[in-house]
């Protein structure tokens, strides 16, 4: 088995990729990708830290369940917003989204 | 059978009363009435026929008469809802000169004439003024010969 | 390049011997199998050009049932089809579309001209809008006379086509 | 609530299932052929035809006078009959011409049979005319003179709610 | 993207232009250009003419007999339905009348053809709704009637059987018993059809209140045939203006009030039964006698004109023949029911769902070959 | 020692995550994203939490990725297929690298390096269930509420411009 | 006389065949020669004898981990890929024959001596010999990926589904959930195929497939939850064990109906075959696929068919449980045959639904019914029915 640090670093790498995406991308769908990647990174940490506890905990798994469910929610809402924005603006460049309120 | 022709005669008579000598009664037979008129009066005649209870154009066609230099245009109008008039086919006919093949459309009186008039347009080159869609219907899009149902169009291989 | 006649002769002989061996042992069984598959799996394109389509429908009906020969009755996409059955008259308006359909079909493909109109124009020999025989625009493999042909005649034509495929080279 | 829906679907299933066990109506064509009694003939004297199948023509070469009436009748229909010179000595056919039929054009209407005043052109129950070559569709007078052998052996029978070939 | 005649243009926004046909399994030899907004059709423009063969022009080059095989090609499903009015018109022009037995045989052939045509329609409607068994069964049972028609007419579909002055040949002797046996068989089958298709909840869900035609619209647009009867108007030329000897038989005109696709289906199904009913009566009424009035020489019409309408399988078939005394007619105008129902199709498609297009399109029994002539 | 499987899986996960953001076509990006999720699921299996792995596959790949692909196809227009930033890109790279190096630097000096797991793993989904019901029932309810609200919100949002 | 280039080409072709055939003939000869020279020949001997003695060949294979009990054999042959593909091909044939029978016709008859038994093989050979057309505008990578993904998914579905207590590829505690996780991928494959074709009809078909698969996956999962409640396990083995006395189709009849309907939808079969409705959108997402691409996609669909029918058998019909006079696998296959029949049969008797009706059935009816079913399951488990 690997030490915990390996999982931690993978998770950190995913987080950084996500942050890069949030900063660099203007396409709303790519932003959504970035957010999903960050959530994934968090979930990996949840599970890994719970597993590496002295007496392995199940709580990490339970919480990652919640996290996954909420990620699904977030994706649904985000995509609905994107579709809506596209209908209004014919564009999904976030910098151009001025009139989301119709 | 004079009794049997009663309805037909009555219909023809009512039209004659209305239009006097503007129309000509071609013939009144059992179940068939045919009335001819000048192109200008065709629309009024059609409205009058519609008021008599005839509802839809069953057929609309043209005939080319090269020797008289006219196209004859004929509408066959029927009624489907009234039992008494159902057996009758009412024809109204007009002749338009070949050098100016134009006539007012009847589709605002009889919407059912739309495709018939379009077909007559492409087959004879007769323009129906006011028709919304005078374009090729059955003929190929690239048809550039004279309209095929004119008598001066000779079929290929029939020189 | 090298054009020495004796060398070429030798090369030819050697390659002939190799060729016949391979022909007999490898290519022939493969050809047999592929041909066998083809002749029992002719999927027709659903292109109705005119009234013969009703007899094609009757042939796929339960009485004549062309599916016995592996033909599916109604098939959606022409991308998966093998045989174009020209069901009757091809008009000037339809001809370019039919050619287009033929070109879109993947190889190998065959064409059946069904009915007198598809073979030669039939009744419409003097019509202003009818193509006088489809073999002017696509190569035809089997001709099925009749106006419209009986389903049996169509099936006989399909058997003729199967015989033709059986003899053909891959 | 949805009695109609469930009973409808179950009824459809039941009918479909029952039909699995019915006798099939398929005519297995190359092995079985439909029994067609006779071809279409025409009696010139009474000017009426007799009911029969309109298939390939049969030409009685000994009765043909070469009058071309069949070709004239066909002229504007399908234009498939050509009068061609034939070999041999035909006493009642002074010009030695007989009809040759192009089945690539023929529409099997039978008006040529109606037109023949000498009862020498009839139709037969033969319909297997497909060919891989267009030229094979043209039948010469001597090909037309051959009477087809009778191949039919089954008929479509319907009784008791089942239709089958036997 | 380009797949043989089917392509979609993007108009921007939610509007798409779909070209359905002519190589499209759901169109036949016909193209319709529909504009779609989301799921709804906002515009429909028919593009017929893929089978236009110039029948009217070519009829001017053929004499009255030679025209018969020629003019029956547009509607080979309903060959007698399309040649009978022509022959009746020609008889008016040539001034002959068919003997009684011939009239009866004509009626039998016309009704047989109506059944054959309706069964073909039913089969294709089945495949349009994705019900392949409903394609196979009518196609198979149609063969029984084709066999009956073939025993009289000599070919499976294109009989060229009715000629001016009568019919070409007599019925075979055992026709009556064969016909009655077939009717008996088919009446049982209709019950099975009802169970598997007409009472099938999924089929009714697809067709009920789909493509509703109001009576006023139907009259205004000139809809004809079973489609007209499905809106509640019992107009049938066989009753309105009886030709042949239809006034001697007793039959009903099936009608429905709803005017939707399902009503059109049911009306056609009931017409099948009525056709068999008519044929049964005719087979009882028919008596031996001559079948043809012999016309010597070439048929020549009197100068003048005549027009006749009959009830073909799809509706009123109308012929208008002008003669100038020559052996060929001067002008033949054919008004076919499919051509008149075309306008109804555009009317019905606009405003309905795209997914309902097959259900509406074929419920009108539009036969492109007939419409194009 | 680092396990080979772990190495490959984690590298692939990160690689596909980068690909998801940097691919030329948006659809490729979505597919790469789902592959990245799959990689994460594989990591969960390595962490002995199979249930979470299955759940991850079911929800992320089965729903979210497909939803994303669906939306991409719905709104796909060539003109913005390549909306990318200019300066922000360099900024993003700098920020990401800085953050990553900081985290790595500090974590490498922490006790995480010497943390090894207990060989007796828990992969009992009964435990998850009982925890959900007994301990975190409120969160469960709230999550359900959030899901319901989001679905209703998404539906209304998709509806309101429809007519 | 041929030119030099032609000669080179010909030689290359011959070389290709030579390389193909040489392992069969030339290497044995080489081994023989080596053996005469006195080098250790046991392995050579074994290989040589194995070529004529099947039992020895099997033993040799077993030694290298290729025997009947090896993982490789399980995955590749039985109960894995080959077996599933065989069942899938037989299903295609059986479907065509059954449909034909219900439609009063014969169906495939001449391919193969007996009742067209080789028809799928003929279709296979034809598809193999068919030209592969990749549309110009298509996305080449995805266009090729979709058929392979489709068949890969179908094959991976089989990994955890056991055929009997002893015949299985892999055992997992979650063997009920894993297939559904994999099925969750299938919309992705359909979307990829539809998108790659860049044909609008394919695209509409893909979108329809997505709507449909998404709408019916939820009731599918919910319907099996009842069984999970009753058995308290996600393990298919345990679920089948629990059906020793009573098949779950009796206590969970509603679930069986829902699962059956969702199977029809998942496999895009009539009345839910809208993604391939040929009278509406040509062939849907399969429109642009030719030759073996099409064959692989179809095979994938039919392998999925097999897997889902197998799941239905295991979940509701007691799997391999049955009187002991027949081995369990026979019971399973018999039940499987029945399930395949009932999945095929709607195609003969039902027409196609419309999209909005389909969505309504999925989202409104089936989900509501599956919740009712959950309540039924809870009540039954508290009453101790199982």
């Amino acid at each position: 088995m690997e030490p915990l640090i390996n999982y931690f670093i993978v998770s950190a790498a995913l987080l950084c990729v996500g942050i890069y995406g949030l900063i660099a991308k203007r396409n709303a769908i790519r932003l959504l990708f970035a957010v999903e990647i960050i959530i994934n990174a968090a979930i990996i940490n949840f599970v890994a830290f719970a597993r590496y506890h002295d007496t392995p905990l199940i709580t990490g798994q339970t919480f990652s369940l919640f996290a996954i469910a909420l990620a699904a929610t977030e994706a649904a809402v985000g995509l609905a917003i994107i579709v809506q924005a596209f209908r209004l603006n014919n564009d999904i460049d976030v910098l151009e989204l001025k009139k989301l309120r119709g | 059978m004079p009794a049997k022709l009663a309805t037909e005669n009555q219909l023809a008579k009512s039209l004659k009363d209305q239009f006097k000598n503007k129309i000509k009664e071609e013939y009144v037979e059992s179940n068939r009435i045919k009335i001819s008129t000048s192109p200008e009066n065709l629309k009024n005649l059609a409205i009058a026929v519609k008021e008599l209870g005839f509802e839809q154009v069953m057929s609309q066609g043209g005939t080319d008469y090269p020797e008289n230099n006219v196209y004859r245009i004929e509408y066959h109008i029927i009624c489907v809802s009234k039992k008494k008039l159902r057996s009758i086919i009412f024809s109204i006919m007009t002749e338009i000169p070949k050098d100016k093949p134009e006539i007012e459309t009847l589709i605002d009186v009889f919407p059912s004439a739309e495709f018939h008039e379009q077909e007559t347009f492409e087959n004879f080159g007769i323009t129906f003024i006011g028709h919304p869609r005078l374009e090729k219907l059955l003929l190929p899009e690239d048809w550039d010969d004279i309209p095929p149902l004119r008598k001066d169009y000779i079929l290929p291989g029939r020189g | 390049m090298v054009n020495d006649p004796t060398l070429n002769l030798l090369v030819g002989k050697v390659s002939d011997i190799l060729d016949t061996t391979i022909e007999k042992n490898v290519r022939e069984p493969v050809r047999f199998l592929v041909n066998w598959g083809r002749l029992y799996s002719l999927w027709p394109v659903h292109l109705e050009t005119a009234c013969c389509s009703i007899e094609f429908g009757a042939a796929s009906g339960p009485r004549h049932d062309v599916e016995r020969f592996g033909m599916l009755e109604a098939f959606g996409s022409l991308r998966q089809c093998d045989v174009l059955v020209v069901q009757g008259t091809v008009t000037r308006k339809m001809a370019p579309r039919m050619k287009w359909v033929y070109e879109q079909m993947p190889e190998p493909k065959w064409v059946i001209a069904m009915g007198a109109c598809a073979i030669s124009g039939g009744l419409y020999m003097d019509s202003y809008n009818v193509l006088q025989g489809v073999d002017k625009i696509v190569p035809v493999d089997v001709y099925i006379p009749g106006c419209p042909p009986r389903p049996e005649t169509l099936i006989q034509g399909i058997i003729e086509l199967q015989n033709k495929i059986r003899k053909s080279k891959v | 609530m949805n009695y109609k829906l469930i009973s409808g679907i179950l009824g459809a299933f039941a009918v479909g299932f029952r039909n699995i066990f019915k006798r099939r109506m398929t005519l297995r064509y190359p092995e079985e052929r439909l029994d067609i009694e006779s071809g279409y003939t025409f009696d010139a004297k009474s000017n009426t035809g007799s009911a029969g199948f309109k298939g390939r023509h049969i030409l009685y070469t000994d009765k043909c006078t070469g009058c071309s009436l069949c070709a004239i009748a066909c002229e504007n229909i399908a234009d498939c009959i050509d009068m061609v010179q034939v070999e041999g000595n035909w006493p009642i056919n002074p010009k030695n011409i007989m009809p040759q039929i192009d089945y690539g054009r023929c529409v099997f209407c039978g008006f040529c049979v109606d037109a023949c005043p000498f009862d020498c052109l009839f139709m037969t129950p033969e319909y297997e005319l497909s060919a891989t070559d267009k030229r094979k569709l043209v039948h010469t007078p001597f090909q037309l003179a051959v009477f087809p052998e009778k191949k039919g052996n089954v008929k479509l029978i319907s009784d008791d709610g089942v239709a089958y070939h036997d | 993207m380009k797949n043989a005649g089917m392509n979609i243009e993007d108009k921007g926004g939610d509007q798409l232009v779909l070209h359905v046909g002519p190589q499209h399994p759901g169109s036949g030899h016909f193209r319709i250009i529909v504009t779609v907004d989301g799921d709804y059709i906002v515009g429909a423009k028919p593009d017929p003419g893929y089978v236009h063969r110039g029948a009217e022009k070519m009829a001017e080059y053929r004499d009255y007999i030679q025209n018969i095989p020629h003019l029956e090609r547009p509607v080979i499903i309903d060959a007698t339905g399309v040649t009978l009015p022509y022959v009746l018109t020609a008889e008016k022009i040539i001034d002959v009348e068919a003997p009684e037995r011939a009239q009866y045989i004509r009626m039998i052939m016309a009704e047989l053809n109506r059944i054959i045509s309706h069964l073909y329609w039913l089969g294709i409607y089945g495949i349009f709704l994705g019900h392949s068994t409903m394609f196979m069964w009518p196609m198979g049972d149609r063969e029984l009637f084709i066999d009956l028609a073939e025993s009289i007419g000599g070919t499976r579909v294109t009989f060229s059987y009715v000629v001016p002055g009568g019919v070409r040949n007599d019925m075979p002797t055992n026709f009556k018993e064969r016909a009655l046996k077939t009717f008996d068989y088919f009446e049982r089958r209709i019950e099975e059809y009802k169970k598997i298709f007409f009472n099938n909840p999924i089929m009714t869900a697809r067709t009920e209140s789909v493509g509703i035609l109001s009576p006023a619209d139907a009259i205004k647009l000139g809809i004809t045939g079973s489609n007209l009867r499905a809106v509640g108007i019992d107009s049938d030329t066989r009753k309105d203006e009886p030709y042949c000897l239809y006034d001697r038989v007793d039959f009903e005109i099936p009608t429905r009030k709803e005017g939707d696709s399902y009503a059109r289906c049911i009306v056609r199904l009931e017409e099948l039964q009525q056709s068999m009913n008519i044929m049964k009566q005719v087979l009882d009424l028919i008596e031996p006698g001559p079948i043809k009035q012999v016309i010597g020489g070439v048929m020549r019409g009197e100068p003048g004109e005549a027009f006749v309408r009959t009830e073909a399988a799809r509706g009123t078939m109308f012929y208008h023949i002008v003669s100038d005394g020559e052996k060929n007619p001067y002008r033949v105008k054919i008004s076919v029911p499919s051509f008149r129902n075309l306008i109804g199709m555009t009317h019905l498609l606009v405003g309905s769902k795209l997914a309902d297009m097959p259900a509406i399109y074929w419920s009108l029994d539009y036969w492109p070959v007939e419409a194009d002539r | 020692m680092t396990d080979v499987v772990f190495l490959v899986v984690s590298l692939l996960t990160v690689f596909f995550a980068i690909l998801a953001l940097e691919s030329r076509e948006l659809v490729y990006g979505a597919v790469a994203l789902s592959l990245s999720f799959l990689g994460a699921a594989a990591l969960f299996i390595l962490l002995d939490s199979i249930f979470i792995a299955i759940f991850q596959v079911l929800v992320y790949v089965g729903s979210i990725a497909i939803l994303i692909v669906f939306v991409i196809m719905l709104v796909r227009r060539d003109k913005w297929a390549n909306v990318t930033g200019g300066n922000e890109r360099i900024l993003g790279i700098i920020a990401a690298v800085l953050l990553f190096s900081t985290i790595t630097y500090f974590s490498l000096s922490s006790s995480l390096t010497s943390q090894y797991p207990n060989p007796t793993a828990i992969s009992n989904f009964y435990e998850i269930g009982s925890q959900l019901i007994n301990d975190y029932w409120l969160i469960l309810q709230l999550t359900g509420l959030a899901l319901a609200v989001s679905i209703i919100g998404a539906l209304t949002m998709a509806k309101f411009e429809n007519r | 006389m041929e030119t030099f280039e032609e000669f080179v080409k010909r030689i290359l072709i011959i070389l290709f065949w030579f390389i193909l055939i040489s392992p069969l003939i030339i290497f044995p000869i080489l081994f023989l020669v080596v053996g005469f020279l006195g080098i250790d020949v046991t392995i050579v001997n074994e290989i040589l004898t194995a070529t004529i003695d099947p039992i020895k060949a099997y033993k040799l294979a077993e030694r290298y981990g290729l025997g009947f009990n090896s993982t490789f054999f399980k995955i590749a042959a039985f109960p894995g890929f080959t077996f599933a593909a065989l069942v899938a091909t037989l299903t295609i044939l059986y479907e065509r024959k059954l449909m034909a029978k219900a439609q009063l016709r014969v169906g495939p008859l001449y391919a193969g001596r007996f009742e067209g038994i080789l028809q799928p093989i003929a279709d296979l050979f034809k598809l193999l010999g068919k030209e592969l057309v990749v549309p110009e505008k298509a996305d080449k990578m995805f266009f090729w990926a979709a058929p392979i993904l489709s068949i890969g998914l179908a094959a991976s579905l089989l990994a955890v589904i056991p055929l009997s207590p002893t015949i299985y590829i892999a055992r997992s505690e979650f063997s009920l959930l894993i297939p559904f996780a994999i099925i969750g991928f299938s919309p992705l494959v359909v979307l990829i195929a539809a998108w790659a074709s860049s044909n609008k009809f394919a695209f509409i078909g893909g979108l329809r497939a997505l709507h449909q698969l998404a709408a019916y996956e939820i009731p599918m999962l919910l319907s099996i939850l009842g069984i999970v409640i009753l058995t308290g396990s996600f393990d298919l083995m345990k679920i089948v064990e629990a059906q020793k006395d009573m098949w779950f189709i009796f206590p969970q009849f509603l679930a069986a109906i829902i699962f059956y309907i969702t199977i029809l939808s998942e496999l895009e079969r009539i009345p839910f075959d809208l993604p391939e409705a040929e009278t509406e959108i040509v062939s849907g997402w399969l429109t642009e696929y030719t030759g073996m691409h099409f064959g692989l996609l179809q095979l994938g669909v039919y392998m999925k068919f097999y897997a889902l029918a197998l799941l239905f058998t295991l979940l509701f019909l007691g799997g391999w449980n049955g009187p002991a006079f027949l081995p369990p696998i026979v019971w399973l296959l018999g039940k499987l045959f029945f399930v395949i029949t009932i999945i095929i049969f709607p195609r003969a008797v039902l027409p196609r639904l419309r999209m909005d009706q389909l969505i309504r059935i999925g989202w409104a009816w089936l989900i509501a019914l599956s919740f009712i079913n959950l309540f039924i399951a809870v009540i039954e488990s508290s009453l101790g029915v199982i």
Side-chain angles (χ1 to χ4, degrees), chain C residues 2-143:
Chain C
V2 186
N3 259 331
D4 185 12
T6 49
L7 177 68
N8 273 354
L9 202 68
L10 189 70
V11 162
K13 266 191 179 167
V14 170
S15 61
D16 273 359
I17 292 165
L18 281 171
D19 232 29
T20 42
T21 335
I22 290 163
E23 182 78 30
K24 265 197 179 160
N25 297 321
V26 183
R27 283 204 209 139
E28 236 167 49
V30 170
R31 181 183 306 154
F32 172 79
L33 278 179
V34 172
N35 267 348
W36 175 81
R38 277 175 189 170
L39 67 99
Y40 285 118
S41 171
L42 293 166
W43 295 353
V45 181
H46 197 104
L47 175 75
E48 295 172 335
T49 52
C51 33
C52 284
S53 60
I54 70 157
E55 284 302 72
F56 191 76
S60 41
R63 190 187 190 182
H64 299 287
D65 192 21
V66 285
E67 206 190 346
R68 287 179 296 150
F69 300 89
M71 283 182 117
L72 293 167
E73 11 104 21
F75 210 74
S77 171
L78 54 92
R79 289 284 188 192
Q80 292 121 30
C81 293
D82 313 278
V83 50
L84 173 65
V85 184
V86 184
Q87 298 162 3
T89 325
V90 178
T91 57
R92 265 174 57 179
K93 200 170 177 177
M94 191 59 139
R97 270 116 182 159
M98 199 188 78
K99 191 161 171 51
W100 191 11
V101 165
Y102 179 74
E103 281 162 2
Q104 296 239 330
M105 285 164 63
E107 293 282 348
K109 51 195 170 186
W110 298 275
V111 179
I112 293 178
M114 180 182 178
C117 305
I119 298 173
S120 62
L123 280 166
Y124 300 95
M125 69 271 194
D126 57 350
S127 170
Y128 51 81
N129 201 18
V130 171
L131 189 75
Q132 304 296 315
V134 290
D135 42 6
K136 286 184 181 164
I137 55 168
V138 292
V140 178
D141 292 286
V142 176
Y143 298 88

Side-chain angles (χ1 to χ4, degrees), chain F residues 46-131:
Chain F
L46 292 180
L47 285 167
D48 300 322
S49 7
I50 297 167
F51 187 73
I52 295 300
I54 292 171
F55 199 73
Q56 162 101 356
V57 172
L58 257 176
V59 174
Y60 264 112
V61 186
S63 320
I64 297 180
I66 285 162
L67 205 61
I68 288 172
V69 176
F70 179 52
V71 168
I72 289 169
M73 286 177 185
L74 267 190
V75 299
R76 183 174 176 272
R77 291 294 181 278
D78 291 333
K79 84 173 198 265
W80 53 260
N82 289 317
V83 180
T84 41
N87 295 332
E88 293 97 333
R89 190 168 175 158
I90 300 155
L91 189 71
I93 292 173
I94 292 167
V97 169
L98 270 179
L99 188 65
F100 184 66
S101 43
T102 329
I103 291 174
T104 317
Y105 176 75
F106 285 111
S107 60
L108 277 177
S109 56
S110 72
S111 65
L112 292 178
T113 39
S114 57
Q115 196 81 25
Y116 281 87
N118 193 332
T120 56
I122 307 176
S123 70
N124 193 347
F125 60 92
Y126 289 102
E127 291 263 342
I128 299 177
S130 66
Q131 259 196 355

